[in-house]
């Protein structure tokens, strides 16, 4: 196999990074090495490295470079794919080693290489120090440099749209013409922060400078308007995109209507689309779940399956399983689980976690545990879900046992995990264990307690009759969160006939000025039990004045 032949094969395969193509490249490269044809041109090696850097196994690009470096004469196209591989692997050490080689060879002065270094440090480094150094030392910056740097800022939560606009102004001052990618980055920041005025200004800029809109830019504008809640502007733009719309455009508009609660409008748009992909079907099903219309979600899923439209993906199945959980429909949930098996749908950690949640909420803890124990890789969300399921079923000891097992396996609990395990202690009366966990959460795991954690602990102490200890905890809770805690404590005061403390708690609730019907009823019941009928009369009068009525119950059936 000659160098030219190998070069042509690699070029034809590197455009896609599928596993099949990588296996072909493996075979071609092995054949070439076996036959002693390792002395290929630098451009051929660059193609090989580029192909592996885009593949699911980018480490191979670095291994080949290190092994075959005597046969390679690196140029400015050799290192960017290697840096891309380091970015994919999140390896700062490998990337800095390549940077050192670049400095020795003098290739670090090439703008193509500098842009690759900028991207690498922006992705891998914990802060922007390295990226800033590279950016500031660049003698010349092209639009790719600026777009890379804008993208780094956009992906960093410490920076907002104002920071990006300052960079944008600097770009303009250097007389570099912004392109479509620049505007897409800025519009995505506007959408994320819901900065409608900034988004409109950018839209005007696009029109004013005559920047030709392509589909990505149109979709970015559409996304900005929908995220900012201006559905009239979004619909106007959508109607103007007659010849440019794609599935993404429809999905953005549907999600926009869903966010504002107009699920029926979203469904009308959905029904008018002739060709729908799995993302679109999944978005509409998820819309019903989010709008708390699980029956409609399952009906749409059943319609898709009956019409043999397509095999759903794992993302759609998560929404379908969530709908079953909302309805506590164990029978349909089992059918969905069987459907996943029969159609070889990828059961990733999200699908399995959704199944655990569904079985728990449908009352089948045995099936939830079986699903959990069959998981190969359990993340913190899977552990939290099963612990929550056990907690709600009153199996506090089992939940605590699983929490300890999770710690032994080196899985770091998060805020939600502690809420679940503290709730388990509360429901099962595990006072010592709950207090110990609360202390460890703050001291060992450095998780700052929130109202949910305080609520669990106060509920735990209140249920056990330790009312004065619960009161001490309420004192350190922020004022805006004290009402719920005091209501929990007052209920326990009624239960344990602690009327002296109850009077104090009732006064605190009155001082907080809550006017909800639940608060009025709770206080009224307390004052009635203690014989304070004047207060009961006053509360009933206030209930009529504020028209505080109990909301009628609803059923999902």
């Amino acid at each position: 196999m000659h160098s030219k032949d190998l070069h042509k094969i690699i070029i034809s395969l590197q455009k896609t990074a599928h596993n099949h193509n990588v296996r072909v490249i493996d075979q071609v490269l092995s054949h070439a090495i076996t036959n002693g044809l390792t002395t290929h041109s630098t451009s051929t090696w660059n193609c090989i490295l580029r192909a592996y850097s885009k593949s699911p196994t980018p480490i191979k690009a670095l291994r080949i470079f290190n092994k075959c470096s005597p046969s390679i004469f690196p140029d400015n196209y050799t290192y960017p794919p290697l840096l891309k591989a380091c970015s994919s692997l999140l390896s700062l050490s490998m990337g800095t080693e390549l940077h050192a080689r670049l400095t020795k060879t003098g290739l670090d002065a090439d703008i193509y290489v500098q842009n690759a270094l900028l991207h690498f440090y922006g992705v891998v480094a914990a802060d922007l120090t390295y990226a800033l150094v590279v950016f500031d030392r660049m003698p010349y910056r092209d639009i790719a440099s600026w777009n890379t740097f804008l993208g780094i800022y956009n992906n960093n939560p410490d920076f907002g749209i104002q920071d990006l606009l300052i960079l944008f102004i600097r770009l303009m001052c250097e007389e570099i013409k912004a392109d479509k990618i620049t505007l897409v980055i800025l519009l995505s920041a506007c959408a994320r922060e819901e900065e409608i005025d900034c988004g409109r200004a950018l839209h005007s800029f696009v029109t004013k400078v005559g920047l030709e809109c392509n589909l990505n830019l149109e979709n970015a504008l559409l996304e900005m308007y929908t995220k900012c809640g201006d559905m009239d502007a979004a619909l106007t733009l959508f109607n103007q995109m007659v010849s440019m719309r794609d599935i993404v455009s429809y999905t953005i508009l549907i999600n926009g209507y869903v966010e504002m609660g107009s699920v029926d409008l979203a469904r009308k748009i959905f029904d008018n689309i002739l060709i729908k992909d799995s993302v679109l079907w999944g978005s509409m099903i998820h819309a019903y779940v989010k709008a708390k219309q699980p029956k409609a979600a399952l009906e749409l899923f059943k319609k898709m399956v009956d019409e043999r439209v397509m095999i759903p993906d794992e993302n759609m199945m998560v929404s379908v399983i969530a709908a079953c959980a909302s309805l506590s429909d164990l029978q349909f949930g089992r059918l969905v689980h069987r459907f996943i098996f029969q159609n070889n749908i990828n059961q990733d950690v999200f699908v399995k976690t959704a199944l655990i949640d569904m079985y728990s909420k449908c009352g089948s803890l045995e099936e939830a545990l079986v699903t959990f124990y069959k998981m190969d890789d359990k993340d913190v969300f899977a552990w939290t879900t099963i612990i929550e399921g056990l907690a709600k079923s009153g199996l506090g000891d089992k939940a605590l046992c699983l929490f300890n097992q999770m710690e032994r396996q080196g899985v770091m609990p998060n805020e939600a995990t502690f809420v679940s395990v503290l709730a388990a202690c509360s429901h099962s009366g595990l006072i010592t264990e709950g207090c110990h966990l609360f202390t460890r959460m703050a001291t060992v795991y450095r998780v700052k307690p929130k109202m949910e954690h305080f609520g669990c602990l106060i509920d735990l102490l209140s249920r056990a009759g330790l009312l004065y200890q619960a009161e001490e905890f309420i004192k350190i809770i922020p004022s805006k969160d004290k009402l719920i805690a005091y209501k929990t404590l007052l209920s326990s005061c009624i239960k344990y006939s602690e009327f002296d403390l109850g009077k104090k708690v009732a006064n605190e609730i009155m001082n907080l000025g809550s006017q909800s019907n639940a608060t009025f009823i709770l206080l009224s019941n307390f004052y009635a039990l203690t014989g304070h009928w004047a207060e009961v009369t006053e509360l009933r009068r206030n209930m009529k004045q504020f028209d505080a009525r109990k909301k009628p119950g609803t059923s999902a059936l």
Side-chain angles (χ1 to χ4, degrees):
M1 182 184 297
H2 295 291
S3 177
K4 288 183 178 179
D5 297 329
L6 179 62
H7 188 84
K8 289 178 181 178
I9 293 171
I10 299 298
I11 285 179
S12 66
L13 292 173
Q14 70 175 337
K15 292 179 182 178
T16 53
H18 299 307
N19 287 324
H20 171 71
N21 288 352
V22 176
R23 285 195 295 269
V24 173
I25 295 172
D26 286 340
Q27 293 169 5
V28 171
L29 189 59
S30 298
H31 178 77
I33 293 173
T34 303
N35 288 277
L37 297 172
T38 56
T39 310
H40 301 294
S41 67
T42 299
S43 59
T44 301
W45 282 114
N46 290 346
C47 285
I48 294 169
L49 296 175
R50 197 176 302 117
Y52 279 119
S53 71
K54 294 179 179 179
S55 75
T57 53
I59 188 66
K60 288 184 178 180
L62 296 162
R63 288 173 180 168
I64 290 170
F65 177 74
N66 291 329
K67 186 174 182 179
C68 303
S69 54
S71 305
I72 303 174
F73 298 96
D75 60 14
N76 59 328
Y77 293 105
T78 305
Y79 286 99
L82 295 173
L83 289 166
K84 181 180 177 63
C86 293
S87 298
S88 300
L89 296 167
L90 299 177
S91 176
L92 183 61
S93 59
M94 290 181 182
T96 50
E97 184 181 335
L98 285 172
H99 193 173
R101 287 196 189 191
L102 280 164
T103 304
K104 288 179 181 178
T105 58
L107 288 171
D108 61 330
D110 181 82
I111 190 167
Y112 183 57
V113 173
Q114 288 172 338
N115 287 342
L117 280 168
L118 189 62
H119 177 266
F120 161 72
Y121 284 123
V123 170
V124 177
D127 56 52
L128 294 186
T129 305
Y130 292 100
L132 279 167
V133 169
V134 173
F135 188 75
D136 289 336
R137 288 181 179 176
M138 293 175 72
Y140 170 73
R141 294 184 281 257
D142 61 6
I143 189 59
S145 314
W146 281 102
N147 287 342
T148 301
F149 204 55
L150 282 165
I152 293 168
Y153 264 64
N154 192 34
N155 293 329
N156 192 312
D158 294 333
F159 300 101
I161 183 61
Q162 298 302 323
D163 299 292
L164 270 76
L165 288 176
I166 291 170
L167 284 178
F168 180 61
I169 292 168
R170 284 181 58 189
L171 176 155
M172 301 294 287
C173 289
E174 290 193 11
E175 296 183 355
I176 294 175
K177 189 177 180 181
D179 64 4
K180 297 162 190 173
I181 297 172
T182 315
L183 273 299
V184 167
I185 294 169
L186 292 170
L187 286 167
S188 69
C190 292
R192 184 180 64 251
E193 298 182 26
E194 298 183 6
E195 287 282 352
I196 185 67
D197 292 334
C198 180
R200 288 191 181 117
L202 287 169
H203 195 173
S204 299
F205 174 82
V206 170
T207 307
K208 184 177 179 180
V209 300
L211 189 63
E212 183 185 352
C213 282
N214 66 351
L215 186 56
N216 289 336
L217 184 52
E218 294 276 17
N219 283 340
L221 284 165
L222 193 63
E223 178 92 3
M224 182 273 296
Y225 282 123
T226 57
K227 289 288 186 182
C228 294
D230 191 346
M231 292 306 298
D232 290 336
L235 189 59
T236 299
L237 178 62
F238 181 79
N239 290 332
Q240 292 170 356
M241 294 168 60
V242 178
S243 61
M244 296 181 69
R245 296 176 195 158
D246 65 351
I247 291 294
V248 176
S249 313
Y250 283 103
T251 305
I252 292 170
L253 195 64
I254 287 172
N255 290 338
Y257 279 118
V258 170
E259 285 296 324
M260 64 181 293
S262 302
V263 185
D264 293 338
L265 282 174
R267 180 60 188 268
K268 282 182 180 179
I269 295 168
F270 176 83
D271 289 337
N272 287 330
I273 303 170
L274 297 177
I275 302 174
K276 307 178 184 73
D277 65 355
S278 60
V279 175
L280 205 53
W281 280 95
S283 294
M284 196 62 239
I285 290 171
H286 177 70
Y288 280 125
V289 174
K290 189 173 181 179
K292 297 183 179 180
Q293 297 182 34
K295 286 185 72 175
L298 295 182
E299 286 169 4
L300 185 60
F301 172 71
K302 191 174 182 299
K303 180 178 187 294
M304 188 192 78
V305 173
D306 291 344
E307 294 178 5
R308 301 175 183 268
V309 175
M310 64 181 67
I311 299 297
D313 60 12
E314 58 270 24
N315 296 322
M316 189 189 304
M317 296 314 303
V318 169
S319 296
V320 173
I321 296 165
C324 296
S326 296
L327 291 168
S328 298
D329 193 335
L330 181 59
Q331 184 178 359
F332 201 101
R334 285 171 175 160
L335 289 173
V336 169
H337 197 173
R338 189 184 307 165
F339 176 86
I340 292 169
F341 274 112
Q342 291 173 342
N343 291 277
N344 295 317
I345 297 171
N346 179 31
Q347 293 191 53
D348 60 12
V349 67
F350 301 105
V351 171
K352 289 185 177 179
T353 301
L355 285 167
I356 294 167
D357 182 59
M358 182 271 295
Y359 282 127
S360 298
K361 288 178 177 175
C362 292
S364 181
L365 269 178
E366 183 179 350
E367 287 173 285
L369 286 165
V370 168
T371 305
F372 175 77
Y373 284 119
K374 282 185 175 181
M375 290 179 71
D376 295 325
D377 299 311
K378 305 177 184 72
D379 64 5
V380 65
F381 301 104
W383 285 97
T384 301
T385 302
I386 191 65
I387 289 170
E388 182 184 4
L390 292 166
K392 289 181 176 178
S393 299
L395 301 174
D397 290 323
K398 180 68 174 174
L400 198 57
C401 180
L402 273 179
F403 177 81
N404 294 331
Q405 185 180 339
M406 180 186 78
E407 286 187 301
R408 288 193 298 271
Q409 293 190 15
V411 180
M412 185 74 71
N414 59 19
E415 293 177 357
T417 314
F418 280 108
V419 171
S420 297
V421 73
L422 286 170
C425 294
S426 175
H427 295 160
S428 300
L430 304 173
I431 304 167
T432 305
E433 293 85 348
C435 293
H436 179 62
L437 274 170
F438 188 88
T439 303
R440 289 187 65 223
M441 176 186 75
T443 57
V444 177
Y445 291 102
R446 305 290 182 186
V447 174
K448 186 178 180 181
K450 292 187 176 179
M451 182 54 213
E452 292 83 0
H453 305 108
F454 282 118
C456 289
L457 193 62
I458 291 163
D459 187 52
L460 170 64
L461 296 171
S462 299
R463 284 171 184 252
L466 303 172
L467 306 182
Y468 288 94
Q469 290 89 331
E471 184 195 15
E472 290 302 312
F473 267 103
I474 295 176
K475 290 178 181 177
I476 62 175
I477 297 176
S479 298
K480 62 184 178 66
D481 296 323
K482 284 185 177 179
L483 179 62
I484 298 173
Y486 274 129
K487 285 163 68 175
T488 301
L489 184 56
L490 184 59
S491 296
S492 296
C493 288
I494 294 172
K495 177 181 176 183
Y496 288 99
S497 300
E498 280 282 356
F499 297 126
D500 290 336
L501 178 61
K503 289 176 185 177
K504 184 179 176 183
V505 173
N507 287 332
E508 292 289 347
I509 292 174
M510 293 294 289
N511 290 335
L512 290 171
S514 173
Q515 296 172 359
S516 71
N517 61 297
T519 304
F520 280 131
I521 292 168
L522 180 62
L523 287 168
S524 177
N525 290 341
F526 171 73
Y527 285 127
L529 284 170
T530 56
H532 292 72
W533 297 106
E535 284 82 354
V536 173
T537 303
E538 180 66 22
L539 282 168
R540 295 297 171 94
R541 189 183 299 115
N542 288 337
M543 287 179 71
K544 289 180 180 179
Q545 180 181 347
F546 294 109
D547 196 24
R549 300 175 186 175
K550 186 177 179 181
K551 292 181 180 179
T554 57
S555 172
L557 299 177

